[in-house]
Amino acid sequence: MRNVMRRVRTMTFTFLLQSPPPSLPISPSPQFSLSSSALLSTTAQRFLAPSQGSLLRSASIRAFCTKPIIPNMEDSGSPLSYLTQREAAEIDETLMGPLGFSVDQLMELAGLSVAASVSEVYKPEEYRRVLAICGPGNNGGDGLVAARHLHHFGYKPSICYPKRTAKSLYTGLVTQLESLSVPFVSVDDLPEDLSKDFDVIIDAMFGFSFHGAPRPPFDDLIRRLVSLQTYEQTLQKHPVIVSVDIPSGWNVEEGDHEGGGIKPDMLVSLTAPKLCAKRFCGPHHFLGGRFVPPSVAEKYKLELPSYPGTSMCVRIGKPPKVDISAMRVNYVSPELLEEQVETDPTVQFRKWFDEAVASGLRETNAMALCTANKDKKPSSRMVLLKGFDENGFVWFTNYESKKGSELSENPCAALLFYWESLNRQVRIEGPVERIPESESENYYHSRPRGSQIGAIVSKQSSVVPGRHILYDEYEELTKKYSDG
Ligand SMILES: NC(=O)C1=CN([C@@H]2O[C@H](COP(=O)(O)OP(=O)(O)OC[C@H]3O[C@@H](n4cnc5c(N)ncnc54)[C@H](OP(=O)(O)O)[C@@H]3O)[C@@H](O)[C@H]2O)[C@@H](O)CC1
Ligand SMILES: Cc1cc2nc3c(=O)[nH]c(=O)nc-3n(C[C@H](O)[C@H](O)[C@H](O)COP(=O)(O)O)c2cc1C
Ligand SMILES: Cc1ncc(COP(=O)(O)O)c(C=O)c1O
Ligand SMILES: [K+]
């Protein structure tokens, strides 16, 4: 039997509620309040002062730098097709002619793709206030639909729709938004500086039928979006601009050929990117409009990425380069006070575990298991917690794996749970022992057949000569034990 149980006898527990101030000073400062974080150590049977906890953390941030061995990662940039203005219009006609789509359908899917792209990058907790600036054509319609979906996704949209189209499709979209109490703001009522009132601006003024130079009032609105870029240098956070299909004011094929146009942070190309998208330099280029039938793709020789799972959008182009040192989250957590915490850490763990399960977290029982070999060289990996009580925490693994042999050499481990949406982590440290073989057997037999066979086939931590070896052995064992 390869999959067997381990139990860690608990020696140290640490319950940590994460709510530090945005930046952690290296030494304690008056900024630290008692509620900023709390650590509970049962080994010492006392609580560390919150500032001590934060200080430890900030000190360790500066103290350690590991040099991992990083494999060479090739850029897997796949070819992409770009449409001319004429091709875009032709595809539109084909979809709504011989292919039987209605404009309402396509607009709904386009607007949903825009909302999905926005919510993939700009989370409502941080980018709640959305302004959709909608033009007179279908691009404007996409903006109206996107705003409705964003409302349902938890954003707070407002609409600027200065040139309304009298067709029932558009009046319907307006009615739908009004029924959600989404405010419509006139150009005159919009602040000159849009940076204070909005976190996201959806640019849905013009799409692929744009020509010439923008006419009023859109020229002025585009100017306001351009001027946001000059605020960028002075303000820490400025509203992000999300352009629908075409950055408004850009030539559909040549892009921002005169310079001085808007520079969106996100472009959501619909159906396929238009030629101007080659000039897009922002960090987030997405494709939406998951409705292209194969005949259209073949006719226009469209090379498009496939959409993942059930998603309405897919990122195209390289993911943005991030400044890792600037990545941070503002933790907003309730206080964790000594008197709120159970004296028995197992009881406290049960409480937090149940809350994590109730909050809908996936794989609440996934935990990092850290071991070290006899030379004190540490290693870690995820395993699943399969039970716990006052005697310890139990998981299954393979005795012959790396972790298995490390635990034989050095029967001590650290476990770590991180429940991100709750801002909580639990650290557990202690000696490890094998649980009785009968318990292992019972658990093994409770597993699904596929997992049982998989565990036998998998020689954990060893090099696999090829995928087929695993498949073949899996097949063989499935046949061998077909009688149950
Ligand atoms: N299958 C697809 O591909 C799908 C396409 N979809 C969406 O449709 C978009 C194309 O829509 P569209 O054809 O209605 O054109 P769009 O660009 O929104 O605006 C035309 C309006 O703008 C006006 N206008 C033009 N120039 C101007 C100027 N300089 N200054 C001022 N106004 C100007 C023009 O007025 P006109 O000049 O004709 O008087 C007209 O009123 C496309 O990009 C995508 O977002 C999705 O919904 C579904 C799937
Ligand atoms: C979420 C998750 C849960 C896992 N659970 C287990 C587990 O319960 N037992 C196990 O042996 N491996 C589990 N694995 C695989 C291990 O992380 C690891 O890849 C494997 O056990 C080999 O580790 P080692 O070479 O360090 O011994 C899990 C992986 C993930 C991502
Ligand atoms: C290698 C390995 N073993 C065991 C498990 C846990 O499986 P089970 O829930 O059947 O014990 C996992 C889960 O991801 C795993 O990846
Ligand atoms: K646009």
Side-chain angles (χ1 to χ4, degrees):
M1 171 82 49
R2 288 197 185 87
N3 252 33
V4 289
M5 258 179 183
R6 296 264 184 197
R7 166 179 294 145
V8 57
R9 282 205 185 281
T10 313
M11 280 204 38
T12 308
F13 267 86
T14 306
F15 292 88
L16 175 64
L17 184 68
Q18 246 159 301
S19 53
S23 70
L24 297 172
I26 189 81
S27 56
S29 80
Q31 247 180 304
F32 279 109
S33 68
L34 237 142
S35 63
S36 66
S37 74
L39 269 164
L40 160 64
S41 158
T42 52
T43 322
Q45 290 298 319
R46 67 184 174 87
F47 294 94
L48 293 178
S51 57
Q52 248 178 302
S54 298
L55 177 61
L56 282 173
R57 206 142 25 111
S58 62
S60 66
I61 284 168
R62 284 160 178 82
F64 296 113
C65 172
T66 62
K67 284 193 182 162
I69 302 157
I70 300 171
N72 224 351
M73 304 258 266
E74 296 269 322
D75 176 21
S76 61
S78 45
L80 252 187
S81 310
Y82 295 83
L83 298 175
T84 63
Q85 188 162 25
R86 204 190 134 99
E87 285 171 333
E90 259 181 44
I91 291 179
D92 209 27
E93 280 164 27
T94 311
L95 288 168
M96 285 187 267
L99 289 172
F101 284 97
S102 69
V103 63
D104 309 35
Q105 275 183 297
L106 297 179
M107 196 175 280
E108 190 62 32
L109 291 168
L112 180 58
S113 312
V114 172
S117 306
V118 168
S119 66
E120 202 149 295
V121 175
Y122 304 114
K123 302 294 170 201
E125 296 78 29
E126 221 184 316
Y127 293 89
R128 191 149 175 266
R129 303 161 307 163
V130 177
L131 173 66
I133 308 180
C134 301
N138 289 349
N139 197 260
D142 294 348
L144 296 172
V145 173
R148 167 160 44 76
H149 287 292
L150 286 170
H151 168 90
H152 290 297
F153 292 175
Y155 295 81
K156 191 173 171 289
S158 304
I159 315 285
C160 177
Y161 185 30
K163 293 271 176 219
R164 299 194 183 193
T165 307
K167 289 182 191 158
S168 64
L169 165 60
Y170 295 88
T171 54
L173 293 175
V174 169
T175 306
Q176 291 156 29
L177 285 159
E178 283 172 346
S179 75
L180 298 171
S181 305
V182 171
F184 280 73
V185 192
S186 71
V187 178
D188 292 340
D189 289 340
L190 270 184
E192 168 63 26
D193 172 6
L194 299 171
S195 68
K196 294 197 177 65
D197 294 25
F198 303 104
D199 307 308
V200 180
I201 297 178
I202 310 273
D203 152 32
M205 286 178 263
F206 304 120
F208 62 62
S209 300
F210 174 76
H211 46 85
R215 299 189 294 270
F218 298 104
D219 53 350
D220 181 47
L221 288 165
I222 289 173
R223 183 189 54 74
R224 287 192 220 186
L225 294 197
V226 172
S227 68
L228 282 175
Q229 268 117 39
T230 54
Y231 293 117
E232 193 180 329
Q233 273 116 50
T234 51
L235 292 176
Q236 269 213 319
K237 187 171 164 249
H238 68 105
V240 292
I241 300 174
V242 177
S243 286
V244 178
D245 208 19
I246 311 281
S248 297
W250 284 25
N251 182 289
V252 175
E253 295 186 356
E254 289 159 31
D256 185 18
H257 54 25
E258 287 173 5
I262 61 178
K263 291 184 177 53
D265 301 86
M266 175 185 271
L267 172 63
V268 186
S269 292
L270 295 167
T271 309
K274 318 301 170 295
L275 276 170
C276 67
K278 287 188 173 181
R279 310 286 170 105
F280 171 70
C281 314
H284 307 290
H285 190 186
F286 278 70
L287 179 68
R290 193 176 184 174
F291 47 64
V292 180
S295 61
V296 169
E298 274 157 35
K299 184 171 172 199
Y300 292 92
K301 300 195 170 44
L302 297 183
E303 296 266 8
L304 298 173
S306 47
Y307 290 82
T310 55
S311 181
M312 291 310 295
C313 61
V314 56
R315 184 184 281 280
I316 47 183
K318 286 183 197 153
K321 278 210 162 67
V322 290
D323 172 7
I324 297 176
S325 70
M327 288 176 90
R328 61 175 59 82
V329 164
N330 284 339
Y331 303 108
V332 181
S333 303
E335 287 179 330
L336 177 64
L337 302 174
E338 286 176 39
E339 55 268 28
Q340 294 166 346
V341 185
E342 300 290 338
T343 43
D344 179 344
T346 314
V347 176
Q348 180 64 32
F349 182 83
R350 162 72 61 199
K351 237 175 160 175
W352 273 20
F353 189 83
D354 289 349
E355 282 173 30
V357 171
S359 76
L361 266 170
R362 229 171 80 91
E363 297 214 289
T364 308
N365 61 331
M367 58 186 188
L369 162 68
C370 307
T371 55
N373 66 10
K374 61 177 181 321
D375 301 324
K376 299 178 188 152
K377 201 171 149 230
S379 66
S380 58
R381 79 289 293 149
M382 302 300 290
V383 292
L384 298 180
L385 176 72
K386 289 290 172 171
F388 70 92
D389 59 24
E390 63 288 352
N391 297 316
F393 285 66
V394 177
W395 69 91
F396 292 93
T397 193
N398 185 320
Y399 280 158
E400 282 142 37
S401 65
K402 181 180 167 81
K403 67 183 111 43
S405 68
E406 289 188 359
L407 287 169
S408 302
E409 289 175 8
N410 178 7
C412 286
L415 303 175
L416 174 68
F417 293 86
Y418 179 45
W419 295 314
E420 193 264 351
S421 58
L422 298 173
N423 291 339
R424 284 174 176 170
Q425 68 165 326
V426 180
R427 302 167 46 168
I428 299 160
E429 287 148 29
V432 177
E433 64 188 38
R434 293 183 182 193
I435 55 108
E437 194 175 327
S438 59
E439 281 184 46
S440 280
E441 285 288 337
N442 287 343
Y443 178 73
Y444 184 83
H445 289 291
S446 76
R447 297 177 81 192
R449 173 54 57 99
S451 307
Q452 291 177 342
I453 294 177
I456 299 173
V457 169
S458 161
K459 314 280 183 291
Q460 276 195 356
S461 326
S462 64
V463 176
V464 181
R467 193 173 286 270
H468 60 280
I469 306 260
L470 297 178
Y471 285 154
D472 291 351
E473 201 179 334
Y474 189 93
E475 284 293 306
E476 210 175 288
L477 289 170
T478 308
K479 273 194 208 123
K480 185 170 167 186
Y481 296 116
S482 60
D483 59 357

